[in-house]
Amino acid sequence: PDGRNVIYFSDRTGEYELWTTAADGSSEPKQITKGFGGNPGEIIFSPDSKRVAVSDREQRIHVIDLATGAMDLVHTHPFAGSYDVFPNNLAFSPNGKLLVFNGLTPAFTTTVGLIDLDQKKVKYLTRPGYFGGGGAFSPDGKWLLIAADRDFG
């Protein structure tokens, strides 16, 4: 977020792993993770820039400590429609304690889930059968804006 470094996934080791390097190219790439074990989807920084949340095609959501490379599996979404679908629209709350995401349902609609990162508990905010999407916290973290399509016509 400060623009000095970039993070990215590369398969230069033969498997997808998270790497970092200086944005201006002045440093050699440094591997952050070892054993990520999935094809990455979306990646976002935490508000303090010390962690990232990453989804993968195995329907998992990890929170990765950028200093140590420690990976914390915080959720495995129970349904996927195809290999090209992964939890998306990840967003941290301003205090970094909650993570919102969108996932696919068995009815091939989308749902909005909210993960309490301390307890690793998920609460679904929309019901299967309806389309729910997005997820943006207010700057003070007291509100979460989501979209829900309730029109089947």
Side-chain angles (χ1 to χ4, degrees), residues 26-139:
S26 64
S27 68
E28 289 294 315
K30 175 185 167 199
Q31 186 175 347
I32 296 173
T33 60
K34 290 182 177 34
F36 179 75
N39 288 325
E42 189 171 331
I43 182 168
I44 61 156
F45 279 96
S46 64
D48 64 5
S49 302
K50 294 180 180 180
R51 302 173 296 160
V52 292
V54 179
S55 62
D56 68 26
R57 288 185 171 156
E58 283 73 33
Q59 304 308 303
R60 299 174 298 196
I61 300 173
H62 304 271
V63 174
I64 301 171
D65 183 298
L66 293 174
T68 67
M71 294 181 289
D72 189 11
L73 176 62
V74 297
H75 178 62
T76 301
H77 193 62
F79 182 77
S82 75
Y83 188 67
D84 290 328
V85 174
F86 51 85
N88 60 11
N89 290 333
L90 305 175
F92 279 98
S93 62
N95 66 7
K97 294 180 181 265
L98 301 171
L99 184 69
V100 67
F101 69 95
N102 297 167
L104 198 61
T105 71
F108 289 93
T109 58
T110 53
T111 187
V112 178
L114 185 65
I115 305 170
D116 178 319
L117 294 173
D118 290 335
Q119 297 181 20
K120 294 186 191 164
K121 295 203 185 240
V122 177
K123 178 176 183 169
Y124 288 96
L125 306 177
T126 57
R127 296 188 326 221
Y130 297 100
F131 287 93
F137 287 93
S138 63

